[in-house]
Amino acid sequence: MSGATELAAGPGTGPGTSPIAVQAATPASPLKLAGFGADVSDGVVRVLGVHYGARLDPADRFSALGVPSSLRVQSAPTVFPQTPGSLDWLLGPALMEMPQSEDAFQINIWAPEGAQDAPVLVYLPGGAFISGAGTVRWYDGERLAREGGCMVVTVNYRLGALAFAAGRDGARNLPVGDILQALRWVRRNIADFGGDPEDITLAGQSAGAFYAYLLSQLHEAEGLFNRTALLSLAWQPPLTSAEYAERCTLFGQSLGEAGSEVQDTGLETVPVDALLQAQGAVSKAYAGRGLGFMPAAGDEVPADLFDFAAAVRRMHVSSLLLSTTQDEAAAFLKPLPVAAVGREQLTGFVAAHFKDVAATLGWLDQALPGETDHAKLVEAMTLHQFRLTAVELAEHATAAGIATTVARFDVGSPLEGARSAHCFDVPFVFGNRHQWHDAPMLNGVADEVFESAGGELRSLLLGFVSEGSARTADGSAVAAFDPADPKLHRIGAGGTGTIEPERGLNPRR
């Protein structure tokens, strides 16, 4: 870049933390802070690898965060340690391209050039609590920033054993503090990039939606954002103390089997590779019956987090946007052979997750005539975990005076078994197909479908970000959810419309 100088990365430099060239701020740029490297693309300023926090005790990998050192403002983007994700068959290998670091407390920022008091979108990525990163190419916010005239901030937070493994003082839920620190950084500094610190929307997808939902209820997060968008929020109550202890016991046993005995110093000195190997053993042990490492009930995470009546009374946001895909569970059930699911397996799932087994099975047979029991299991799991969850939350939030919009993304992937799976909507949200060039789920999706459906999905989100009211691509307001006459906004391959939520189903909660 012309006129660029170099920014010293400060202590802790190494692979993935090389210095970044600094573009001097000009009157046309939203950058007012000296010392940030940036580039401009088609009217959008991009600032990558900004450090929002640093461990208060650099020698303790489980330390809480504080303000980062002035010597380490920015470095090349990294991700927290992780192994390939279980949904790479859909998403592709982008995460594994990134350098890994235990100090990946970073955000990426996109800002319209010359922005002033622009609304701000803070995005928390998913990854089943053990993978993912806001710094990966999937979440390039350039198009959102350009089309919405808004700031886009994507966030890294700690994952897996490095986030949740038990310490001497009990359960850890470190990502909660990480995200709070990132939000505080945004609140303090976003005006220097052209954003309005009084107009912040927190959005999350999957595990990121869990955290956005949680933070919308935490007193510590009050005032850090105004509204919340939850993309594919699953029914996923936090672990109980017994469930958490069981996982930590298995984790410790797996570490021993891997030859990494935990000494008096605890987990602080165990090599990362050994932690990830033991973490994988825990995930494998719980496959098909829950997640391995994930948040547990404690000081930061209310035990009744998914008691919606209690949750909405705690919420400190003015409005909610809730979105799911039509076939969320297809992402998780693809490894299960179609022939392995018969009536017995379907009935077992329904009995465990719905109150009226016969009525639910009858509903599935009527809704999916001629389909396999595998397809009906996808439908049942999607209903229980996602679609009915969104409607139930909307009913309670609306009753509590929180304006809520509910949407459903119903565009299918040509990839066999994928359909409109969990995560399939994400590239449409960001509108950056070139950054998903190796994602199998997008192979064969027509460009006109990607652009049309993506335009509708971005309009929904950007209208919500800019004014708290979701909108269609032509600018029309999407009606808020009304429990007396419930309607959902549907985005399909052929356009948008209004549908009714599923009725007559009573999930076990």
Side-chain angles (χ1 to χ4, degrees):
M1 287 182 294
S2 175
T5 59
E6 276 201 339
L7 171 66
T13 56
T17 57
S18 57
I20 288 182
V22 175
Q23 176 69 54
T26 69
S29 168
L31 296 179
K32 301 174 186 176
L33 289 179
F36 281 96
D39 57 38
V40 182
S41 173
D42 196 14
V44 176
V45 179
R46 180 181 65 172
V47 188
L48 305 182
V50 176
H51 290 266
Y52 66 80
R55 288 175 289 174
L56 291 171
D57 180 357
D60 179 6
R61 64 179 12 149
F62 301 107
S63 173
L65 299 188
V67 177
S69 166
S70 60
L71 297 176
R72 199 176 191 207
V73 174
Q74 182 183 18
S75 59
T78 59
V79 304
F80 283 104
Q82 56 193 281
T83 56
S86 61
L87 299 187
D88 284 5
W89 69 276
L90 281 170
L91 306 175
L95 278 167
M96 291 297 104
E97 300 171 354
M98 299 286 292
Q100 298 190 6
S101 168
E102 291 191 45
D103 291 312
F105 301 105
Q106 294 174 305
I107 56 175
N108 285 348
I109 303 171
W110 290 263
E113 195 172 17
Q116 186 173 7
D117 295 330
V120 181
L121 169 63
V122 178
Y123 182 88
L124 307 178
F129 305 104
I130 59 173
S131 67
T135 50
V136 73
R137 57 177 157 90
W138 294 332
Y139 309 121
D140 186 316
E142 180 179 323
R143 189 166 186 181
L144 281 171
R146 182 184 303 113
E147 292 183 357
C150 64
M151 314 285 298
V152 179
V153 180
T154 59
V155 182
N156 286 352
Y157 52 82
R158 277 177 278 195
L159 304 166
L162 289 165
F164 304 113
R168 295 184 181 85
D169 297 327
R172 292 187 174 107
N173 287 302
L174 297 177
V176 179
D178 297 349
I179 298 167
L180 280 170
Q181 177 66 20
L183 289 168
R184 292 178 184 125
W185 190 99
V186 171
R187 174 79 176 179
R188 288 193 303 266
N189 296 288
I190 204 65
D192 293 308
F193 294 82
D196 183 354
E198 302 294 333
D199 191 7
I200 297 174
T201 297
L202 180 63
Q205 189 269 341
S206 193
F210 177 101
Y211 289 123
Y213 171 68
L214 166 63
L215 288 160
S216 299
Q217 302 174 48
L218 288 190
H219 174 71
E220 294 87 343
E222 191 166 358
L224 295 177
F225 53 96
N226 312 82
R227 56 187 77 90
T228 305
L230 303 175
L231 312 181
S232 296
L233 175 69
W235 174 265
Q236 194 74 62
L239 299 176
T240 65
S241 57
E243 291 168 335
Y244 178 78
E246 183 181 74
R247 284 159 171 79
C248 289
T249 297
L250 177 58
F251 178 69
Q253 293 170 347
S254 300
L255 274 177
E257 292 169 2
S260 298
E261 297 289 350
V262 179
Q263 306 297 325
D264 292 340
T265 54
L267 297 173
E268 285 80 358
T269 60
V270 176
V272 170
D273 288 347
L275 291 176
L276 292 177
Q277 183 178 345
Q279 172 186 301
V282 176
S283 296
K284 184 177 181 180
Y286 287 91
R289 58 191 183 102
L291 297 177
F293 279 110
M294 64 166 289
D299 292 340
E300 307 93 343
V301 182
D304 63 349
L305 183 65
F306 278 81
D307 178 341
F308 293 138
V312 297
R313 289 195 295 269
R314 291 189 292 257
M315 283 190 172
H316 50 77
V317 294
S318 60
S319 51
L320 291 173
L321 173 62
L322 310 176
S323 177
T324 64
T325 69
Q326 177 67 23
D327 305 296
E328 299 267 6
F332 315 118
L333 293 177
K334 176 66 163 63
L336 184 63
V338 171
V341 181
R343 199 66 174 184
E344 181 180 355
Q345 288 75 25
L346 176 63
T347 301
F349 178 88
V350 169
H353 294 87
F354 291 87
K355 295 178 182 178
D356 190 328
V357 177
T360 304
L361 289 172
W363 188 96
L364 291 167
D365 290 338
Q366 184 175 6
L368 301 173
E371 290 281 3
T372 64
D373 288 321
H374 188 285
K376 292 172 184 177
L377 180 60
V378 169
E379 180 76 0
M381 185 178 290
T382 298
L383 283 165
H384 182 272
Q385 295 296 103
F386 296 95
R387 298 201 317 243
L388 296 178
T389 295
V391 172
E392 291 168 34
L393 176 54
E395 291 172 342
H396 285 280
T398 301
I402 302 171
T404 303
T405 303
V406 185
R408 186 172 299 171
F409 186 75
D410 192 8
V411 177
S413 167
L415 181 64
E416 183 182 0
R419 306 202 292 191
S420 188
H422 190 68
C423 294
F424 187 56
D425 55 332
V426 178
F428 292 82
V429 170
F430 284 87
N432 56 342
R433 186 168 189 165
H434 62 290
Q435 301 281 26
W436 295 78
H437 61 87
D438 50 2
M441 65 184 182
L442 285 180
N443 289 342
V445 174
D447 286 341
E448 56 268 27
V449 171
F450 185 83
E451 287 300 312
S452 175
E456 291 291 350
L457 197 52
R458 287 191 299 281
S459 294
L460 196 73
L461 177 61
L462 292 171
F464 184 74
V465 169
S466 64
E467 55 194 69
S469 175
R471 295 192 173 276
T472 62
D474 65 7
S476 303
V478 175
F481 186 84
D482 179 3
D485 184 22
K487 296 290 190 298
L488 314 182
H489 180 71
R490 176 186 174 274
I491 298 173
T496 64
T498 300
I499 59 174
E500 293 186 359
E502 291 77 9
R503 298 179 183 275
L505 300 168
N506 294 296
R508 294 186 185 276
R509 297 304 193 197

